[in-house]
Amino acid sequence: GVGPCDASPDEGVVEDLPLIDEKAVEQLTEGLISYYLPDLQRSKSALQELTQNQVVLLETLEQEISKFRECNSILDIDALFSEAKHYHNKLVNIRNEMMMLHEKTSKLKVSVIII
């Protein structure tokens, strides 16, 4: 015969589980979705708006950065012009000194010839 030890441990478990009502599961799922879906949709639209705002902000920042780069290049050009002016003044002074030295040497030549 079949004794108590020969019975399977799973025997009788299937009969103990309640039958799952598919319609109840569907209704519970719809209820859960209808409860959370509006909040999720609002969150989704808020995240989309935030993402769009971030894109606009990034574009604005890139424009500002390019303006600063232009500004720096203008400052570099300004420094270059002031340096060029400085060297131009040096050249003018050297030319004036050379003209003065030329006059002095011419006068010396004339006085040497006369002597």
Side-chain angles (χ1 to χ4, degrees):
V2 176
C5 293
D6 294 335
S8 169
D10 293 335
E11 192 175 312
V13 172
V14 174
E15 292 84 23
D16 293 344
L17 288 176
L19 289 175
I20 297 172
D21 185 0
E22 294 292 328
K23 184 146 178 86
V25 170
E26 187 178 321
Q27 287 175 343
L28 286 171
T29 304
E30 286 177 8
L32 190 64
I33 289 173
S34 68
Y35 181 77
Y36 285 109
L37 192 60
D39 285 339
L40 290 173
Q41 286 174 332
R42 280 193 295 275
S43 297
K44 180 183 176 183
S45 66
L47 284 172
Q48 285 174 335
E49 184 179 347
L50 179 63
T51 303
Q52 289 172 349
N53 289 340
Q54 284 179 332
V55 167
V56 170
L57 182 61
L58 283 173
E59 289 172 355
T60 306
L61 280 174
E62 286 174 7
Q63 290 173 358
E64 292 301 315
I65 287 170
S66 68
K67 285 180 187 177
F68 278 117
R69 285 188 181 136
E70 287 174 16
C71 214
N72 282 340
S73 64
I74 288 172
L75 289 175
D76 290 344
I77 290 171
D78 192 37
L80 187 65
F81 275 121
S82 66
E83 191 176 352
K85 185 177 179 183
H86 171 73
Y87 285 116
H88 178 264
N89 288 337
K90 278 189 163 190
L91 284 173
V92 167
N93 288 338
I94 290 171
R95 190 184 81 194
N96 288 341
E97 282 185 42
M98 288 178 69
M99 287 175 60
M100 186 179 67
L101 287 173
H102 177 71
E103 268 184 45
K104 285 184 179 181
T105 54
S106 297
K107 287 181 184 176
L108 277 175
K109 283 181 187 176
V110 169
S111 25
V112 168
I113 294 175
I114 294 176
I115 299 177

PDB file of all heavy atoms in Angstrom, residues 67-83:
ATOM      1  N   LYS A  67      30.768  84.707 -27.952  1.00  0.00           N
ATOM      2  CA  LYS A  67      30.928  86.164 -27.799  1.00  0.00           C
ATOM      3  C   LYS A  67      32.174  86.474 -26.977  1.00  0.00           C
ATOM      4  O   LYS A  67      32.933  87.399 -27.290  1.00  0.00           O
ATOM      5  CB  LYS A  67      29.697  86.766 -27.114  1.00  0.00           C
ATOM      6  CG  LYS A  67      28.494  86.875 -28.006  1.00  0.00           C
ATOM      7  CD  LYS A  67      27.320  87.473 -27.254  1.00  0.00           C
ATOM      8  CE  LYS A  67      26.050  87.438 -28.047  1.00  0.00           C
ATOM      9  NZ  LYS A  67      24.890  87.952 -27.290  1.00  0.00           N
ATOM     10  N   PHE A  68      32.401  85.704 -25.899  1.00  0.00           N
ATOM     11  CA  PHE A  68      33.591  85.928 -25.075  1.00  0.00           C
ATOM     12  C   PHE A  68      34.863  85.642 -25.875  1.00  0.00           C
ATOM     13  O   PHE A  68      35.860  86.358 -25.734  1.00  0.00           O
ATOM     14  CB  PHE A  68      33.557  85.056 -23.813  1.00  0.00           C
ATOM     15  CG  PHE A  68      32.735  85.639 -22.706  1.00  0.00           C
ATOM     16  CD1 PHE A  68      31.610  84.980 -22.240  1.00  0.00           C
ATOM     17  CD2 PHE A  68      33.081  86.848 -22.124  1.00  0.00           C
ATOM     18  CE1 PHE A  68      30.845  85.513 -21.227  1.00  0.00           C
ATOM     19  CE2 PHE A  68      32.321  87.390 -21.109  1.00  0.00           C
ATOM     20  CZ  PHE A  68      31.195  86.724 -20.657  1.00  0.00           C
ATOM     21  N   ARG A  69      34.802  84.596 -26.712  1.00  0.00           N
ATOM     22  CA  ARG A  69      35.974  84.292 -27.542  1.00  0.00           C
ATOM     23  C   ARG A  69      36.248  85.443 -28.506  1.00  0.00           C
ATOM     24  O   ARG A  69      37.399  85.827 -28.706  1.00  0.00           O
ATOM     25  CB  ARG A  69      35.750  82.995 -28.309  1.00  0.00           C
ATOM     26  CG  ARG A  69      35.872  81.778 -27.436  1.00  0.00           C
ATOM     27  CD  ARG A  69      35.849  80.499 -28.246  1.00  0.00           C
ATOM     28  NE  ARG A  69      35.936  79.353 -27.356  1.00  0.00           N
ATOM     29  CZ  ARG A  69      35.205  78.269 -27.456  1.00  0.00           C
ATOM     30  NH1 ARG A  69      34.319  78.158 -28.418  1.00  0.00           N
ATOM     31  NH2 ARG A  69      35.355  77.271 -26.620  1.00  0.00           N
ATOM     32  N   GLU A  70      35.179  85.982 -29.108  1.00  0.00           N
ATOM     33  CA  GLU A  70      35.348  87.128 -30.007  1.00  0.00           C
ATOM     34  C   GLU A  70      35.933  88.310 -29.245  1.00  0.00           C
ATOM     35  O   GLU A  70      36.820  89.003 -29.736  1.00  0.00           O
ATOM     36  CB  GLU A  70      34.003  87.526 -30.620  1.00  0.00           C
ATOM     37  CG  GLU A  70      33.489  86.567 -31.666  1.00  0.00           C
ATOM     38  CD  GLU A  70      32.079  86.931 -32.143  1.00  0.00           C
ATOM     39  OE1 GLU A  70      31.640  88.067 -31.894  1.00  0.00           O
ATOM     40  OE2 GLU A  70      31.437  86.071 -32.755  1.00  0.00           O
ATOM     41  N   CYS A  71      35.424  88.510 -28.037  1.00  0.00           N
ATOM     42  CA  CYS A  71      35.900  89.615 -27.200  1.00  0.00           C
ATOM     43  C   CYS A  71      37.387  89.455 -26.916  1.00  0.00           C
ATOM     44  O   CYS A  71      38.155  90.412 -27.000  1.00  0.00           O
ATOM     45  CB  CYS A  71      35.105  89.614 -25.895  1.00  0.00           C
ATOM     46  SG  CYS A  71      34.811  91.243 -25.234  1.00  0.00           S
ATOM     47  N   ASN A  72      37.804  88.240 -26.579  1.00  0.00           N
ATOM     48  CA  ASN A  72      39.218  87.992 -26.307  1.00  0.00           C
ATOM     49  C   ASN A  72      40.067  88.225 -27.546  1.00  0.00           C
ATOM     50  O   ASN A  72      41.161  88.783 -27.452  1.00  0.00           O
ATOM     51  CB  ASN A  72      39.429  86.557 -25.806  1.00  0.00           C
ATOM     52  CG  ASN A  72      39.047  86.406 -24.351  1.00  0.00           C
ATOM     53  OD1 ASN A  72      38.984  87.382 -23.622  1.00  0.00           O
ATOM     54  ND2 ASN A  72      38.788  85.192 -23.926  1.00  0.00           N
ATOM     55  N   SER A  73      39.557  87.805 -28.713  1.00  0.00           N
ATOM     56  CA  SER A  73      40.340  88.028 -29.927  1.00  0.00           C
ATOM     57  C   SER A  73      40.429  89.519 -30.243  1.00  0.00           C
ATOM     58  O   SER A  73      41.450  89.993 -30.725  1.00  0.00           O
ATOM     59  CB  SER A  73      39.751  87.256 -31.102  1.00  0.00           C
ATOM     60  OG  SER A  73      38.457  87.737 -31.419  1.00  0.00           O
ATOM     61  N   ILE A  74      39.364  90.279 -29.933  1.00  0.00           N
ATOM     62  CA  ILE A  74      39.407  91.738 -30.131  1.00  0.00           C
ATOM     63  C   ILE A  74      40.443  92.354 -29.201  1.00  0.00           C
ATOM     64  O   ILE A  74      41.213  93.231 -29.595  1.00  0.00           O
ATOM     65  CB  ILE A  74      38.006  92.357 -29.908  1.00  0.00           C
ATOM     66  CG1 ILE A  74      37.092  91.989 -31.075  1.00  0.00           C
ATOM     67  CG2 ILE A  74      38.093  93.869 -29.756  1.00  0.00           C
ATOM     68  CD1 ILE A  74      35.641  92.383 -30.881  1.00  0.00           C
ATOM     69  N   LEU A  75      40.485  91.858 -27.934  1.00  0.00           N
ATOM     70  CA  LEU A  75      41.493  92.362 -27.000  1.00  0.00           C
ATOM     71  C   LEU A  75      42.896  92.033 -27.502  1.00  0.00           C
ATOM     72  O   LEU A  75      43.812  92.856 -27.390  1.00  0.00           O
ATOM     73  CB  LEU A  75      41.276  91.762 -25.609  1.00  0.00           C
ATOM     74  CG  LEU A  75      40.049  92.263 -24.844  1.00  0.00           C
ATOM     75  CD1 LEU A  75      39.896  91.505 -23.534  1.00  0.00           C
ATOM     76  CD2 LEU A  75      40.156  93.753 -24.571  1.00  0.00           C
ATOM     77  N   ASP A  76      43.076  90.846 -28.062  1.00  0.00           N
ATOM     78  CA  ASP A  76      44.382  90.474 -28.615  1.00  0.00           C
ATOM     79  C   ASP A  76      44.756  91.395 -29.765  1.00  0.00           C
ATOM     80  O   ASP A  76      45.907  91.836 -29.865  1.00  0.00           O
ATOM     81  CB  ASP A  76      44.360  89.025 -29.106  1.00  0.00           C
ATOM     82  CG  ASP A  76      44.284  88.029 -27.954  1.00  0.00           C
ATOM     83  OD1 ASP A  76      44.559  88.437 -26.797  1.00  0.00           O
ATOM     84  OD2 ASP A  76      43.938  86.856 -28.206  1.00  0.00           O
ATOM     85  N   ILE A  77      43.791  91.686 -30.624  1.00  0.00           N
ATOM     86  CA  ILE A  77      44.051  92.589 -31.756  1.00  0.00           C
ATOM     87  C   ILE A  77      44.382  93.981 -31.233  1.00  0.00           C
ATOM     88  O   ILE A  77      45.301  94.638 -31.732  1.00  0.00           O
ATOM     89  CB  ILE A  77      42.825  92.618 -32.702  1.00  0.00           C
ATOM     90  CG1 ILE A  77      42.700  91.284 -33.426  1.00  0.00           C
ATOM     91  CG2 ILE A  77      42.930  93.757 -33.702  1.00  0.00           C
ATOM     92  CD1 ILE A  77      41.420  91.128 -34.222  1.00  0.00           C
ATOM     93  N   ASP A  78      43.665  94.428 -30.206  1.00  0.00           N
ATOM     94  CA  ASP A  78      43.925  95.742 -29.618  1.00  0.00           C
ATOM     95  C   ASP A  78      45.345  95.803 -29.057  1.00  0.00           C
ATOM     96  O   ASP A  78      46.063  96.784 -29.268  1.00  0.00           O
ATOM     97  CB  ASP A  78      42.893  96.013 -28.517  1.00  0.00           C
ATOM     98  CG  ASP A  78      42.910  97.456 -28.049  1.00  0.00           C
ATOM     99  OD1 ASP A  78      43.106  98.351 -28.908  1.00  0.00           O
ATOM    100  OD2 ASP A  78      42.746  97.689 -26.842  1.00  0.00           O
ATOM    101  N   ALA A  79      45.749  94.740 -28.353  1.00  0.00           N
ATOM    102  CA  ALA A  79      47.115  94.693 -27.809  1.00  0.00           C
ATOM    103  C   ALA A  79      48.133  94.706 -28.939  1.00  0.00           C
ATOM    104  O   ALA A  79      49.179  95.372 -28.850  1.00  0.00           O
ATOM    105  CB  ALA A  79      47.284  93.444 -26.946  1.00  0.00           C
ATOM    106  N   LEU A  80      47.833  94.004 -30.033  1.00  0.00           N
ATOM    107  CA  LEU A  80      48.726  93.973 -31.183  1.00  0.00           C
ATOM    108  C   LEU A  80      48.877  95.362 -31.798  1.00  0.00           C
ATOM    109  O   LEU A  80      49.988  95.790 -32.142  1.00  0.00           O
ATOM    110  CB  LEU A  80      48.184  92.982 -32.212  1.00  0.00           C
ATOM    111  CG  LEU A  80      49.066  92.684 -33.408  1.00  0.00           C
ATOM    112  CD1 LEU A  80      50.346  91.990 -32.962  1.00  0.00           C
ATOM    113  CD2 LEU A  80      48.314  91.810 -34.398  1.00  0.00           C
ATOM    114  N   PHE A  81      47.777  96.104 -31.913  1.00  0.00           N
ATOM    115  CA  PHE A  81      47.835  97.458 -32.466  1.00  0.00           C
ATOM    116  C   PHE A  81      48.634  98.397 -31.567  1.00  0.00           C
ATOM    117  O   PHE A  81      49.416  99.222 -32.050  1.00  0.00           O
ATOM    118  CB  PHE A  81      46.428  98.020 -32.689  1.00  0.00           C
ATOM    119  CG  PHE A  81      45.831  97.627 -34.004  1.00  0.00           C
ATOM    120  CD1 PHE A  81      44.649  96.924 -34.067  1.00  0.00           C
ATOM    121  CD2 PHE A  81      46.456  97.964 -35.198  1.00  0.00           C
ATOM    122  CE1 PHE A  81      44.098  96.552 -35.273  1.00  0.00           C
ATOM    123  CE2 PHE A  81      45.913  97.606 -36.413  1.00  0.00           C
ATOM    124  CZ  PHE A  81      44.729  96.893 -36.455  1.00  0.00           C
ATOM    125  N   SER A  82      48.436  98.274 -30.242  1.00  0.00           N
ATOM    126  CA  SER A  82      49.194  99.161 -29.352  1.00  0.00           C
ATOM    127  C   SER A  82      50.681  98.815 -29.409  1.00  0.00           C
ATOM    128  O   SER A  82      51.541  99.696 -29.361  1.00  0.00           O
ATOM    129  CB  SER A  82      48.662  99.076 -27.924  1.00  0.00           C
ATOM    130  OG  SER A  82      48.884  97.811 -27.379  1.00  0.00           O
ATOM    131  N   GLU A  83      51.003  97.524 -29.561  1.00  0.00           N
ATOM    132  CA  GLU A  83      52.411  97.129 -29.696  1.00  0.00           C
ATOM    133  C   GLU A  83      52.980  97.663 -31.011  1.00  0.00           C
ATOM    134  O   GLU A  83      54.120  98.158 -31.050  1.00  0.00           O
ATOM    135  CB  GLU A  83      52.507  95.602 -29.650  1.00  0.00           C
ATOM    136  CG  GLU A  83      53.910  95.080 -29.519  1.00  0.00           C
ATOM    137  CD  GLU A  83      53.951  93.573 -29.368  1.00  0.00           C
ATOM    138  OE1 GLU A  83      52.890  92.944 -29.214  1.00  0.00           O
ATOM    139  OE2 GLU A  83      55.062  93.025 -29.417  1.00  0.00           O
TER     140      GLU A  83
END
